């Protein structure tokens, strides 16, 4: 299957398929942005879309799923990753989810799916029995600046909260997952980036918000623009609704 940039990712409801593959030869083979195209749990597949971004030993992911006609659910993850033979080991530092109306912020954990890379297709088989299939997204001629950014605070509704999170950018795609210091709320979003002259922005194509015991996963029509401003080591995202996200650039290995 050829490489493509994200516009609309078609999703088919497919039956579970077992695979046999060889380990990756180089960790750099998986660096970049990947579109989630298929998600199966115990052989049952559901409609899904999302993005996984891998860069400099860090990852961030957000995806949205429909387990039935009445349920719109989503998860966000971020942390560190490493390769051990044919396993992609995720050290998940941030994990938020709203699944079938139940919200949860999951403590730090390690997940070790078995992986198979076939050109631009990546398959992850998890110990739980679930399977994720992803397709590589192309890097544009003028990408937004790649990097890893550590979130420090979130401001919305005229209030500001200390927060902890990670945003990973590769090519023209990004993903962010975060929680506030109270551990009661958080969120995740991701999508694409662009330039208009000297102005840069990020577009939310996937969005997940957790407020105490309530969670909201966005619909396909819920597209939001964030203005991006950056100095040498700081980055700020501003939303039209007044939301403000403050980041500093994470040095190589500084938080490992």
């Amino acid at each position: 299957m050829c490489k493509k940039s994200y516009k609309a990712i078609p999703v088919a409801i497919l039956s579970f398929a077992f695979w046999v593959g060889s380990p990756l030869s180089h960790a750099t083979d998986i660096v970049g942005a990947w579109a989630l195209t298929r998600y199966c749990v115990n052989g049952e597949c559901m409609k899904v879309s999302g993005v996984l971004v891998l860069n400099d030993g860090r990852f961030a992911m957000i995806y949205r799923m429909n387990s039935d006609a009445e349920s719109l659910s989503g998860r966000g993850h971020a942390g560190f990753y490493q390769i051990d033979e044919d396993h992609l080991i995720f050290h998940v530092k941030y994990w938020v989810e709203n699944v079938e109306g139940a919200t949860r912020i999951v403590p730090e954990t390690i997940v070790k799916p078995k992986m198979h890379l076939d050109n631009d297709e990546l398959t992850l088989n998890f110990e739980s029995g679930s399977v994720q299939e992803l397709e590589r997204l192309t890097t544009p001629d003028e990408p937004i600046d790649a990097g890893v950014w550590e979130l420090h605070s979130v401001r919305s509704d005229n209030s500001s909260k200390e927060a902890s999170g990670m945003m990973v950018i590769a090519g023209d795609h990004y993903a962010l997952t975060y929680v506030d210091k109270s551990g009661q709320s958080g969120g995740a979003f991701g999508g694409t980036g662009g330039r208009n002259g000297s102005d840069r922005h990020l577009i939310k194509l996937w969005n997940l918000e957790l407020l105490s015991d309530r969670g909201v996963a966005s619909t396909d029509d819920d597209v939001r623009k964030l203005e991006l401003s950056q100095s040498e080591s700081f980055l700020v995202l501003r939303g039209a609704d007044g939301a403000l996200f403050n980041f500093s650039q994470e040095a190589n290995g500084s938080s490992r």
Side-chain angles (χ1 to χ4, degrees):
M1 192 174 297
C2 64
K3 299 180 182 180
K4 62 182 180 182
S5 295
Y6 180 87
K7 290 185 179 177
I9 301 174
V11 181
I13 303 301
L14 304 172
S15 60
F16 175 82
F18 182 76
W19 59 267
V20 177
S22 59
L24 296 181
S25 58
H26 301 288
T28 55
D29 290 343
I30 63 169
V31 171
W34 299 81
L36 180 62
T37 58
R38 182 183 177 204
Y39 183 31
C40 302
V41 179
N42 297 324
E44 297 293 328
C45 300
M46 64 190 76
K47 292 182 179 179
V48 65
S49 68
V51 65
L52 167 66
V53 186
L54 302 150
N55 192 9
D56 194 26
R58 279 77 164 171
F59 80 96
M61 182 179 195
I62 181 170
Y63 60 94
R64 190 177 61 244
M65 51 194 173
N66 290 74
S67 55
D68 59 60
E70 303 299 324
S71 175
L72 182 62
S73 302
R75 290 193 178 99
H77 311 292
F80 309 97
Y81 75 89
Q82 63 189 91
I83 293 174
D84 184 5
E85 296 183 347
D86 59 353
H87 286 78
L88 178 56
I89 302 176
F90 293 110
H91 299 256
V92 189
K93 188 173 183 179
Y94 307 104
W95 179 330
V96 299
E97 65 179 34
N98 176 44
V99 178
E100 297 182 347
T103 65
R104 190 165 65 132
I105 296 176
V106 180
E108 291 187 38
T109 188
I110 296 176
V111 184
K112 303 177 180 180
K114 193 172 184 179
M115 66 183 176
H116 173 68
L117 180 65
D118 182 9
N119 294 319
D120 296 322
E121 296 181 351
L122 176 67
T123 303
L124 301 176
N125 277 264
F126 294 84
E127 294 177 346
S128 63
S130 62
V131 180
Q132 292 181 351
E133 293 185 356
L134 304 104
E135 183 176 318
R136 191 190 303 274
L137 293 163
T138 57
T139 299
D141 293 334
E142 295 185 6
I144 54 177
D145 294 334
V148 179
W149 297 88
E150 182 179 359
L151 181 69
H152 295 292
S153 67
V154 177
R155 190 182 73 191
S156 61
D157 299 326
N158 297 318
S159 64
S160 182
K161 296 180 179 179
E162 290 187 23
S164 180
M166 185 180 295
M167 180 169 66
V168 183
I169 304 173
D172 64 344
H173 285 78
Y174 77 97
L176 162 70
T177 300
Y178 67 94
V179 297
D180 70 23
K181 291 297 185 180
S182 71
Q184 299 300 309
S185 64
F189 55 85
T192 62
R195 297 173 181 266
N196 183 8
S198 60
D199 295 330
R200 293 184 299 157
H201 62 270
L202 300 180
I203 297 293
K204 288 186 185 181
L205 297 177
W206 302 276
N207 187 52
L208 176 63
E209 297 177 52
L210 273 61
L211 302 171
S212 298
D213 60 349
R214 179 170 60 88
V216 178
S218 71
T219 65
D220 289 331
D221 297 327
D222 188 18
V223 176
R224 307 177 187 180
K225 186 175 180 179
L226 296 164
E227 297 300 329
L228 184 155
S229 58
Q230 179 182 345
S231 64
E232 183 175 348
S233 57
F234 296 95
L235 181 145
V236 176
L237 294 179
R238 292 180 174 85
D241 58 357
L244 191 69
F245 297 83
N246 292 292
F247 300 83
S248 63
Q249 190 162 38
E250 185 181 275
N252 293 342
S254 63
S255 298
R256 191 83 182 246

